[in-house]
Amino acid sequence: VKTTNDLSLGVVDVRPDILDGSRPACTVGLKHHGMLEFRDIDIYTTDCKPFSDTVCETVENALKIRNVKVTPVSLSNGTSEVDAIKILGQTGRKSILVTVRQWDAATFNQTKLRYELQLSVFDSDGKKLASKTVSGTEKTKRIVKQPMDYAQQFVGKLYKHKLEELFNDPEMAKQF
């Protein structure tokens, strides 16, 4: 991303299990545990912050490294795109909105990550300039020893790769 614009950045989490309160906002996955009696254990962000905050910090830091002036704007989980545009538009800047629709890693003897992330860019008047979504399911090979350690590396690499895929898309990059 190369730009001379000052950007506003918002991230909103719209995962259904977060919005209905069945899982906390810091949830990023699930560990299936036990041999005879299965129990599912939620996996959280390493700092127990909401996943949307983690995504916002990651994007903000990546943009700042590239000398892009970015102002993060706090958005509540479940904020609609219309409301997010209004909130981001109050800054009078071009805006970036990342929407987390799905992010769930499940691990037992392999890890399966289901994801859907959307990046949208808006001008200072709130007009959508471009939008891109990445979604899918990725899984590891079967891991017998230390599946959680391997899962952490696997999901971490995919997290970085999927955000880069959004921001480095040529059509999206033109809009910054």
Side-chain angles (χ1 to χ4, degrees), residues 60-117:
E60 177 187 8
N61 291 337
L63 291 172
K64 283 184 175 180
I65 287 170
R66 290 163 180 80
N67 295 316
V68 175
K69 286 179 126 183
V70 61
T71 302
V73 177
S74 181
L75 298 172
S76 299
N77 292 337
T79 301
S80 70
E81 185 175 277
V82 170
D83 290 340
I85 294 165
K86 288 178 187 174
I87 294 166
L88 291 167
Q90 292 174 357
T91 64
R93 298 178 172 146
K94 193 176 267 194
S95 301
I96 299 170
L97 177 63
V98 179
T99 304
V100 179
R101 298 192 188 290
Q102 185 174 33
W103 189 270
D104 189 42
T107 300
F108 181 58
N109 57 9
Q110 75 177 53
T111 297
K112 183 181 349 180
L113 174 67
R114 292 183 303 270
Y115 61 90
E116 183 177 350
L117 302 171

Side-chain angles (χ1 to χ4, degrees), residues 1 3 13 18 24 42-43 64 69-70 72-73 92 118 127 130 133 138 166 168 171-172 175:
V1 174
T3 184
D13 193 335
I18 303 305
D42 282 335
I43 305 298
K64 283 184 175 180
K69 286 179 126 183
V70 61
V73 177
Q118 180 180 358
K127 177 184 170 204
T133 299
E138 311 262 348
L166 286 171
N168 291 334
E171 289 304 310
M172 295 303 294
Q175 303 306 321

Side-chain angles (χ1 to χ4, degrees), residues 6-75:
D6 290 352
L7 301 172
S8 296
L9 167 65
V11 178
V12 64
D13 193 335
V14 297
R15 295 178 289 168
D17 54 344
I18 303 305
L19 298 182
D20 71 15
S22 62
R23 295 171 84 188
C26 59
T27 303
V28 291
L30 193 65
K31 176 183 176 187
H32 303 295
H33 185 71
M35 292 302 258
L36 300 175
E37 184 179 320
F38 284 103
R39 293 183 332 211
D40 291 336
I41 301 168
D42 282 335
I43 305 298
Y44 304 131
T45 56
T46 54
D47 55 8
C48 290
K49 289 182 182 177
F51 186 55
S52 57
D53 290 355
T54 300
V55 173
C56 191
E57 287 173 13
T58 300
V59 172
E60 177 187 8
N61 291 337
L63 291 172
K64 283 184 175 180
I65 287 170
R66 290 163 180 80
N67 295 316
V68 175
K69 286 179 126 183
V70 61
T71 302
V73 177
S74 181
L75 298 172

